[in-house]
């Protein structure tokens, strides 16, 4: 404790630094506690900003997030209005929804369809694919727990560590994935144990073998696109992928509705950007994924597409052109995927606009 306030003393400089750090911590707490919407007033004219502090360039922020100058009366009214809001009254301003929450509440998702419509939305065909029954992995139970477990493993593992370019080493690679010795093997066992803590050691081994086979098949199955030709996910390094990319997005022409969600995987290959969704659903026919995807996830991928477009446009600015730089959408039904039959369990679509 400094009894004498001497602004020339080293102690005072230390006090100023600690005070700034404390204000930064308070600012962090205040920002991260926002439940629905966050307002950050910014007035450079009223602040003395040190030269060594970088100012925010409002021109670099997407205009959806910037509300330009308001009069003193408008600012005062906004403050009064929000000071009196009760938590259960937030819905009168806007709702925060996801595709899953709308589906669970049986909301009429088709009402949002025109807002996310694509120009060539009907220009999709499904190839005839002969299904291989031995590729269907039915040992793992159905449900969200298994889905979350598989998502988490794909989020963490290094795809390139499971590459089998000649597709001649499946048994060897799967064995290494259940050995308990490699990094990827430890990830598999730890993740299964986290989601299924009460299974026996024998069941853990069975689950691990099933998961390892799914991972191998999914990452080594050739994915065909009209632009980049054929490639496998095991070719994508961590530096070219973003797993579980969360987003918040205003719905066009519906100011009271905000959408949130998470893209399972966004990746870059040969200069083009793709997004991918892992699915662990049990399907009657893994060769007929187009109709199933449209019926159950048609609205979902359109929402995700808009979110990714906004993200890439804000990050890459004028360097991003949708028609040139967007590669397409993959939905992978991982229980039915097999490298020798690359269209089974795989759904791909590239909108033109």
């Amino acid at each position: 404790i400094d009894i004498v306030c001497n602004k020339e003393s080293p102690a005072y400089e230390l006090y100023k630094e600690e005070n700034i750090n404390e204000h930064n911590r308070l600012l962090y707490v205040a920002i991260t506690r926002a439940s629905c919407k966050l307002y950050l007033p910014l007035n450079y004219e009223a602040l003395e900003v040190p030269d060594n502090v970088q100012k925010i360039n409002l021109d670099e922020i997407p205009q959806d997030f910037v509300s330009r100058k308001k009069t003193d009366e408008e600012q005062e009214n906004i403050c009064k209005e929000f000071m009196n809001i009760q938590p259960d009254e937030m819905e009168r301003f806007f709702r925060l929804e996801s595709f899953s929450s709308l589906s669970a509440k049986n909301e009429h998702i088709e009402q949002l369809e025109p807002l996310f419509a694509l120009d060539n939305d009907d220009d999709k065909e499904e190839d005839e694919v002969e299904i291989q029954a031995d590729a269907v992995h039915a040992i793992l139970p159905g449900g969200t727990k298994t889905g979350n477990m598989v998502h988490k493993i794909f989020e963490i593992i290094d795809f390139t560590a499971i590459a089998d370019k000649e597709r001649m080493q499946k048994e060897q690679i799967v064995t290494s994935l259940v050995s308990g010795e490699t990094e990827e093997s430890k990830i598999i066992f730890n993740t299964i144990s986290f989601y299924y803590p009460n299974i026996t050691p024998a069941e853990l081994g069975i689950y691990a073998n099933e998961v390892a086979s799914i991972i191998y098949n999914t990452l080594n199955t050739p994915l065909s696109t009209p632009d980049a030709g054929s490639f496998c996910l095991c070719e994508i390094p961590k530096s070219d992928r973003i797993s579980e990319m969360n987003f918040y997005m205003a719905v066009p022409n519906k100011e009271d509705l905000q959408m949130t969600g998470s893209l399972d995987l966004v990746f870059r290959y040969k200069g083009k950007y793709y997004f991918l969704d892992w699915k662990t659903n049990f399907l009657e026919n893994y060769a007929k994924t187009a109709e199933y995807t449209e019926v159950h996830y048609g609205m979902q991928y359109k929402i995700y597409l808009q979110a990714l477009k906004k993200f890439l446009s804000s990050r890459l600015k004028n360097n991003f052109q949708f028609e040139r730089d967007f590669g397409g959408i993959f939905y992978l039904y991982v229980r039915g995927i097999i490298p020798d039959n690359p269209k089974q369990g795989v759904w791909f679509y590239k909108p033109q606009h």
Side-chain angles (χ1 to χ4, degrees):
I1 299 176
D2 242 2
I3 304 300
V4 179
C5 181
N6 181 2
K7 293 187 177 182
E8 303 299 325
S9 72
Y12 182 73
E13 293 299 320
L14 181 60
Y15 157 75
K16 287 201 302 182
E17 182 179 351
E18 290 177 347
N19 197 39
I20 291 174
N21 290 335
E22 178 62 20
H23 278 83
N24 287 338
R25 286 190 289 270
L26 290 173
L27 177 62
Y28 170 80
V29 171
I31 290 175
T32 57
R33 293 306 181 270
S35 298
C36 300
K37 200 168 190 177
L38 177 68
Y39 285 86
L40 292 175
L42 189 64
N43 186 353
Y44 283 133
E45 297 173 0
L47 296 173
E48 294 183 9
V49 182
D51 294 335
N52 62 343
V53 174
Q54 184 177 357
K55 292 185 178 181
I56 297 174
N57 185 353
L58 294 181
D59 294 330
E60 295 180 357
I61 301 176
Q63 293 307 299
D64 292 347
F65 297 96
V66 178
S67 178
R68 294 293 179 176
K69 288 185 177 179
K70 296 183 179 295
T71 65
D72 291 341
E73 184 178 356
E74 288 175 324
Q75 291 176 351
E76 186 177 353
N77 289 336
I78 289 174
C79 291
K80 286 181 179 178
E81 188 173 17
F82 274 85
M83 285 291 287
N84 294 323
I85 294 176
Q86 299 300 316
D88 58 352
E89 293 181 313
M90 273 296 179
E91 281 203 1
R92 68 188 175 94
F93 289 94
F94 58 82
R95 294 180 298 151
L96 182 63
E97 299 281 10
S98 67
F99 172 79
S100 298
S101 67
L102 290 173
S103 301
K105 293 188 293 189
N106 295 319
E107 294 268 353
H108 296 293
I109 295 181
E110 61 270 15
Q111 294 179 1
L112 297 178
E113 187 80 25
L115 304 179
F116 292 96
L118 306 177
D119 286 354
N120 61 331
D121 210 18
D122 297 325
D123 187 23
K124 294 186 282 292
E125 298 180 358
E126 181 162 28
D127 297 326
E128 290 293 330
V129 182
E130 182 180 351
I131 190 169
Q132 293 183 229
D134 60 343
V136 179
H137 295 273
I139 294 176
L140 291 174
T144 57
K145 187 183 293 187
T146 292
N148 291 337
M149 178 188 71
V150 171
H151 278 69
K152 179 57 68 175
I153 292 173
F154 277 123
E155 177 184 350
I156 301 174
I157 62 171
D158 181 1
F159 293 177
T160 61
I162 307 171
D164 183 7
K165 294 182 180 179
E166 304 299 327
R167 294 200 295 279
M168 300 289 289
Q169 300 177 311
K170 177 176 180 177
E171 185 176 348
Q172 179 181 341
I173 293 176
V174 170
T175 299
S176 72
L177 289 175
V178 296
S179 66
E181 298 176 357
T182 64
E183 185 65 28
E184 284 68 34
S185 177
K186 293 174 183 176
I187 290 171
I188 290 173
F189 277 100
N190 290 339
T191 308
I192 295 174
S193 298
F194 176 81
Y195 283 95
Y196 292 97
N198 298 321
I199 61 175
T200 66
E203 290 172 325
L204 177 59
I206 294 172
Y207 280 24
N209 193 74
E210 184 88 341
V211 169
S213 183
I214 287 175
I215 291 173
Y216 173 89
N217 287 344
T218 303
L219 298 183
N220 286 283
T221 291
L223 303 177
S224 298
T225 69
D227 300 317
S230 181
F231 65 93
C232 298
L233 289 175
C234 62
E235 301 174 41
I236 310 298
K238 281 193 171 183
S239 58
D240 281 329
R241 49 181 262 224
I242 302 176
S243 296
E244 304 300 326
M245 192 190 87
N246 298 319
F247 68 86
Y248 291 88
M249 177 180 66
V251 175
N253 302 320
K254 285 187 74 69
E255 296 180 356
D256 63 329
L257 182 60
Q258 302 280 323
M259 295 297 297
T260 182
S262 178
L263 281 73
D264 290 349
L265 179 66
V266 176
F267 67 92
R268 178 176 56 195
Y269 181 75
K270 290 187 176 180
K272 292 188 179 294
Y273 296 87
Y274 302 79
F275 80 80
L276 180 154
D277 210 86
W278 316 108
K279 296 299 182 187
T280 56
N281 308 46
F282 285 110
L283 302 186
E284 292 183 3
N285 188 345
Y286 287 92
K288 296 287 186 180
T289 56
E291 182 179 354
Y292 185 88
T293 303
E294 282 295 335
V295 170
H296 295 277
Y297 303 114
M299 191 64 200
Q300 184 188 59
Y301 77 72
K302 291 167 189 172
I303 294 171
Y304 287 3
L305 179 62
Q306 291 292 341
L308 180 59
K309 180 176 179 290
K310 285 178 176 288
F311 171 78
L312 293 174
S313 298
S314 65
R315 287 295 184 92
L316 302 177
K317 305 291 188 297
N318 295 330
N319 294 324
F320 177 73
Q321 297 179 20
F322 182 84
E323 292 81 2
R324 181 194 68 192
D325 300 324
F326 182 68
I329 305 163
F330 285 101
Y331 271 59
L332 301 188
Y333 296 87
V334 298
R335 291 182 189 265
I337 290 177
I338 187 169
D340 293 336
N341 197 0
K343 291 186 178 180
Q344 179 175 300
V346 176
W347 180 80
F348 172 79
Y349 175 49
K350 182 184 177 181
Q352 297 303 313
H353 306 286

